[in-house]
Amino acid sequence: MKRRLTYLSLFALLLPFLACQQSTKQKESTNTSDSNTVTLDSVAFGANIDGKAAKLYQIKNSNGVTAYLTEFGARIVGLWVPDRLGTLTDVVLGFKNVADYNNPAEPYFGPIVGPFGNRIANGKFSLDGKSYSTSVNNGPNTLHGGEKGLHFVHWTAKQVNDKVVSFSYTHPDMQDGFPGNIKIEVVYSLTDDNELHINYQAVSDKKTVINLTNHAYFNLNGEGSGSILNHDLRIFADQYTPVDSTLIPTGELASVKDTPFDFNFPKTIGKDIDQDNQQLAYGKGYDHNFVLNGTKVDGLNHAATLTGDQTGIIMDIYTQEPGIQFYSGNFMGDKVTLKSGKTDSFRTAVCLEPQHFPDSPNQPNFPSTILNPGDTYSTKSIYKFSTIK
Ligand code: BGC
């Protein structure tokens, strides 16, 4: 008893010191001094969606690179990386407040999309002769998992350490028409060489289809800083998958050679975007899946290199996935207000989504997206940030 009292008094003595440490930590997390837009504040950000608090999480490396993440959609809501001068810049679009993400007009800012990312033709596919109808939310098709998908649901987060947060969610059997209770875990982590890693795992109790990716909108000059048409882009692909007028792949793997789709040598996104080309007309710009050519770095496909013309920030994407969807923000159009106070103007961000090919469940020639019970779906993508020297 005596000993317990001693520990208690020691704790009481330490209390003011511990409280002070805590408030310093909080200050660090909301520091705005060396930034080009606002940082997120966990109190102002938080809100209850469908009765669940969607909390804000933060991971940070030793260089100050910081990712802000939330449980609503397992989204990246802020990503601060140093520019050529060392100034931290927020390179993803998002909102200051989690409630703003809970809006059907929200353009998929930063979430994990699935169970099947991108489109399924007419919301229909079959497995072992059994037909499934998924919720149709994009013209005649299913886009990014349907109405609820994974982007409009509450995930459970766990802060593993300062640099790692894991998110888990079980997609219930037949939600949006997808078979199986699909148990998903997504882990975001930062390394000290300025890499954001996203690791995905899933298991299902019924045969199903799966294609997970992250849907961040990048502007490497900083959120709200204007057009991305002068960003340089390189995509490591000799082929892409042409689409019909509803953006469903025709099944063909077409050569990029002598077309506006050749990004093998870096060029600005704007260079060929206005060419008279049927595929660009269907996409209203680039909105296509590229077939990665297997250029390997540490066993992963080097998918793309994007460079911000004003900041000199470079983002390299490496992935285990066979394709990458390049979407040049063609449907953006001042519909929502961003963290920076600007609106989401036409082509002010670019999405580069490592993934399997769209509509794979209906395309026997594409790499399979079937997940069998007893098997584990596992994939990873890395976003590496550096600057022009
Ligand atoms: C699709 C676009 C779609 C966008 C939604 C992209 O992955 O390819 O067609 O408009 O997501 O934000």
Side-chain angles (χ1 to χ4, degrees):
M1 180 61 147
K2 217 175 178 184
R3 174 169 290 185
R4 215 159 128 202
L5 271 179
T6 322
Y7 281 142
L8 273 177
S9 12
L10 188 66
F11 182 66
L13 273 174
L14 279 174
L15 250 184
F17 173 71
L18 291 175
C20 164
Q21 289 282 92
Q22 181 60 23
S23 82
T24 318
K25 257 198 183 151
Q26 273 166 10
K27 263 194 210 123
E28 273 171 20
S29 73
T30 55
N31 174 26
T32 56
S33 59
D34 58 348
S35 56
N36 71 348
T37 176
V38 281
T39 16
L40 294 163
D41 174 281
S42 51
V43 179
F45 183 81
N48 281 346
I49 296 179
D50 298 335
K52 287 184 179 142
K55 282 183 253 137
L56 182 68
Y57 288 79
Q58 191 197 100
I59 47 178
K60 188 172 189 172
N61 77 3
S62 59
N63 308 316
V65 171
T66 306
Y68 290 90
L69 309 159
T70 185
E71 288 170 310
F72 187 60
R75 291 171 191 252
I76 303 177
V77 296
L79 180 57
W80 294 80
V81 302
D83 72 3
R84 201 170 14 192
L85 303 172
T87 306
L88 290 175
T89 305
D90 188 2
V91 293
V92 296
L93 275 57
F95 302 117
K96 259 195 241 175
N97 199 303
V98 74
D100 291 350
Y101 287 97
N102 193 21
N103 164 12
E106 185 280 317
Y108 302 89
F109 281 165
I112 298 303
V113 289
F116 196 91
N118 211 281
R119 291 176 177 80
I120 295 179
N122 301 310
K124 292 209 181 315
F125 62 92
S126 54
L127 290 172
D128 296 337
K130 196 167 176 326
S131 306
Y132 293 96
S133 297
T134 47
S135 78
V136 164
N137 60 340
N138 185 257
N141 305 320
T142 299
L143 176 65
H144 299 325
E147 295 292 337
K148 246 185 186 323
L150 299 174
H151 56 288
F152 279 157
V153 299
H154 185 274
W155 294 60
T156 302
K158 191 171 149 229
Q159 182 104 36
V160 178
N161 60 45
D162 288 357
K163 292 188 202 138
V164 184
V165 175
S166 78
F167 289 87
S168 47
Y169 176 70
T170 299
H171 190 273
D173 188 24
M174 298 315 286
Q175 180 165 291
D176 281 318
F178 289 90
N181 290 294
I182 314 171
K183 213 172 152 206
I184 305 170
E185 190 184 31
V186 173
V187 180
Y188 289 95
S189 51
L190 279 175
T191 67
D192 281 334
D193 42 10
N194 297 357
E195 293 177 358
L196 174 68
H197 290 217
I198 311 181
N199 288 55
Y200 305 79
Q201 285 216 324
V203 290
S204 172
D205 58 3
K206 274 192 195 165
K207 189 167 187 168
T208 193
V209 292
I210 192 154
N211 188 24
L212 305 182
T213 189
N214 178 277
H215 205 289
Y217 279 66
F218 294 99
N219 185 323
L220 299 187
N221 291 333
E223 191 218 57
S225 68
S227 169
I228 44 76
L229 292 181
N230 285 329
H231 278 48
D232 260 326
L233 178 63
R234 178 170 184 191
I235 303 180
F236 295 77
D238 302 322
Q239 295 173 311
Y240 75 110
T241 52
V243 290
D244 68 14
S245 62
T246 70
L247 301 184
I248 293 295
T250 59
E252 187 196 350
L253 305 186
S255 170
V256 298
K257 203 163 182 302
D258 301 325
T259 76
F261 293 85
D262 192 349
F263 282 88
N264 278 301
F265 301 97
K267 65 180 181 193
T268 61
I269 292 175
K271 179 160 183 287
D272 296 326
I273 204 168
D274 292 324
Q275 274 195 24
D276 185 10
N277 174 286
Q278 180 69 82
Q279 285 299 311
L280 289 174
Y282 283 156
K284 301 193 168 37
Y286 295 102
D287 195 351
H288 294 80
N289 169 67
F290 286 71
V291 180
L292 298 177
N293 66 16
T295 302
K296 296 281 189 235
V297 176
D298 293 337
L300 297 180
N301 288 325
H302 196 175
T305 305
L306 182 71
T307 307
D309 51 300
Q310 289 162 32
T311 53
I313 294 172
I314 301 173
M315 177 175 74
D316 278 290
I317 301 182
Y318 306 95
T319 185
Q320 281 180 349
E321 290 299 299
I324 194 162
Q325 182 79 11
F326 164 36
Y327 166 60
S328 53
N330 316 310
F331 298 110
M332 299 175 77
D334 302 314
K335 294 176 201 144
V336 292
T337 303
L338 309 172
K339 285 169 282 185
S340 52
K342 304 276 171 46
T343 50
D344 62 325
S345 303
F346 185 53
R347 295 184 180 154
T348 53
V350 44
C351 298
L352 288 164
E353 306 148 54
Q355 56 168 19
H356 271 57
F357 307 169
D359 198 35
S360 295
N362 296 308
Q363 305 271 359
N365 299 331
F366 288 179
S368 172
T369 48
I370 292 174
L371 175 63
N372 284 302
D375 288 350
T376 301
Y377 166 90
S378 171
T379 187
K380 82 167 167 200
S381 295
I382 295 177
Y383 304 72
K384 183 177 177 63
F385 294 92
S386 58
T387 57
I388 293 173
K389 298 284 171 270

